[in-house]
């Protein structure tokens, strides 16, 4: 039973446009959500996170939105750049636990 | 200076062999993890140690044995390797385990069992 789902395995976007990556979760105990970026032959690197007490967190070109009622979060990248081309994983965690649950990733390709 | 380092980066071996993967972090973190990324690219937690104590042990065959000699190291030993063990194994660390913590990952070890 996959508690964190990224239903789009891939996404292509033109340089300069907005990239929107989506993530759905099923466990209502999750209260901390993270996005990681992964380049080939490297480990995932932390990008941005959001706590369930917020509905938006912004860091430069990256914004994460959380809709708790829909159990949905999204990552917006604007403007998208070719260097953003990577696999993006969302992850979720419940307070009081050590376990992070990862989605299967979305491969973003930003076309120059 | 790499924060979380894994060795080796690539490991090719025959079925039935025993192999180890080493992980070291220099971030001063107290929690370390092993993940397996299979052919479907799914990152699945295997084990976690907090201050050298095993705190997560997922449904992993007992051929896999983690060992944490100190807070900065978490090694993974695999006995009697099988074809299905072929995957990329990632080590990660975080400061504190139960809070809102960020994990830092190593570059991964690609294991191929022939």
């Amino acid at each position: 039973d996959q508690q964190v789902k990224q239903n789009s395995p891939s996404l292509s976007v033109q340089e300069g446009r907005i990239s929107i990556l989506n993530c759905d979760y099923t466990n209502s105990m999750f209260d901390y959500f993270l996005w990681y970026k992964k380049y080939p032959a490297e480990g995932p690197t932390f990008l941005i996170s959001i706590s369930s007490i917020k509905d938006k967190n912004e860091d430069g070109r990256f914004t994460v939105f959380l809709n708790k009622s829909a159990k949905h979060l999204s990552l917006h990248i604007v403007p998208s750049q070719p260097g953003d081309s990577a696999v993006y994983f969302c992850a979720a965690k419940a307070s009081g636990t050590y376990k992070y649950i990862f989605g299967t990733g979305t491969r973003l390709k930003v076309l120059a | 200076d790499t924060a979380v380092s894994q060795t080796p980066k690539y490991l090719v071996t025959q079925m039935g062999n025993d192999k180890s993967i080493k992980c070291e972090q220099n971030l001063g973190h107290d929690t370390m993890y092993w993940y397996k990324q299979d052919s479907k690219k799914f990152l699945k937690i295997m084990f976690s140690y907090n201050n050298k104590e095993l705190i997560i042990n997922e449904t992993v065959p007992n051929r896999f044995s983690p060992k944490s000699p100190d807070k900065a190291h978490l090694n993974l030993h695999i006995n009697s390797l099988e074809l299905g063990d072929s995957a990329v194994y990632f080590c990660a660390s975080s400061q504190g385990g139960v809070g809102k913590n960020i994990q830092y990952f190593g570059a991964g070890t690609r294991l191929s069992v022939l």
Side-chain angles (χ1 to χ4, degrees):
Chain A
D1 176 33
Q2 204 167 323
Q3 298 181 66
V4 178
K5 294 179 185 176
Q6 293 175 256
N7 292 317
S8 298
S10 63
L11 174 69
S12 289
V13 169
Q14 283 295 132
E15 182 179 5
R17 305 297 289 266
I18 185 170
S19 296
I20 301 176
L21 296 97
N22 294 304
C23 180
D24 296 293
Y25 62 97
T26 57
N27 189 339
S28 57
M29 298 302 292
F30 289 151
D31 60 359
Y32 187 51
F33 304 90
L34 308 93
W35 283 95
Y36 285 83
K37 178 177 174 177
K38 185 184 178 305
Y39 292 119
E42 294 184 13
T45 54
F46 171 74
L47 195 56
I48 193 169
S49 64
I50 189 166
S51 168
S52 60
I53 60 172
K54 294 186 170 182
D55 53 20
K56 177 182 172 181
N57 190 24
E58 201 169 342
D59 183 1
R61 297 185 297 114
F62 302 91
T63 304
V64 56
F65 294 92
L66 175 62
N67 182 334
K68 287 189 291 293
S69 59
K71 294 193 179 70
H72 177 84
L73 62 154
S74 60
L75 174 68
H76 292 211
I77 307 172
V78 56
S80 302
Q81 298 172 355
D84 297 329
S85 297
V87 177
Y88 290 78
F89 290 96
C90 72
K93 188 173 188 283
S95 287
T97 70
Y98 286 88
K99 198 190 291 190
Y100 297 77
I101 306 295
F102 281 79
T104 48
T106 296
R107 182 177 300 279
L108 172 66
K109 190 169 183 180
V110 179
L111 307 167
Chain B
D1 193 18
T2 307
V4 181
S5 57
Q6 295 179 228
T7 53
K9 195 166 174 68
Y10 300 96
L11 187 51
V12 181
T13 188
Q14 299 288 330
M15 259 174 39
N17 283 350
D18 303 338
K19 289 293 177 187
S20 291
I21 307 172
K22 294 186 176 182
C23 179
E24 176 181 3
Q25 54 94 3
N26 62 6
L27 296 166
H29 290 167
D30 57 8
T31 307
M32 295 184 73
Y33 309 79
W34 276 111
Y35 285 86
K36 179 180 180 181
Q37 186 181 35
D38 59 23
S39 56
K40 294 182 181 173
K41 307 302 181 188
F42 185 41
L43 262 172
K44 193 167 188 305
I45 182 80
M46 299 173 68
F47 301 103
S48 179
Y49 272 73
N50 176 258
N51 283 317
K52 303 194 298 173
E53 193 177 326
L54 182 65
I55 50 169
I56 295 176
N57 186 352
E58 290 295 283
T59 316
V60 177
N62 57 16
R63 298 181 294 103
F64 289 78
S65 52
K67 281 196 173 42
S68 181
D70 55 57
K71 283 196 320 182
H73 296 84
L74 179 60
N75 303 322
L76 183 65
H77 189 75
I78 316 170
N79 288 327
S80 303
L81 277 155
E82 299 178 356
L83 293 175
D85 298 332
S86 295
V88 182
Y89 292 84
F90 288 100
C91 176
S93 72
S94 68
Q95 180 52 38
V98 298
K100 293 178 171 49
N101 306 301
I102 298 166
Q103 288 184 310
Y104 294 81
F105 284 82
T109 296
R110 183 174 294 276
L111 172 65
S112 298
V113 182
L114 307 177

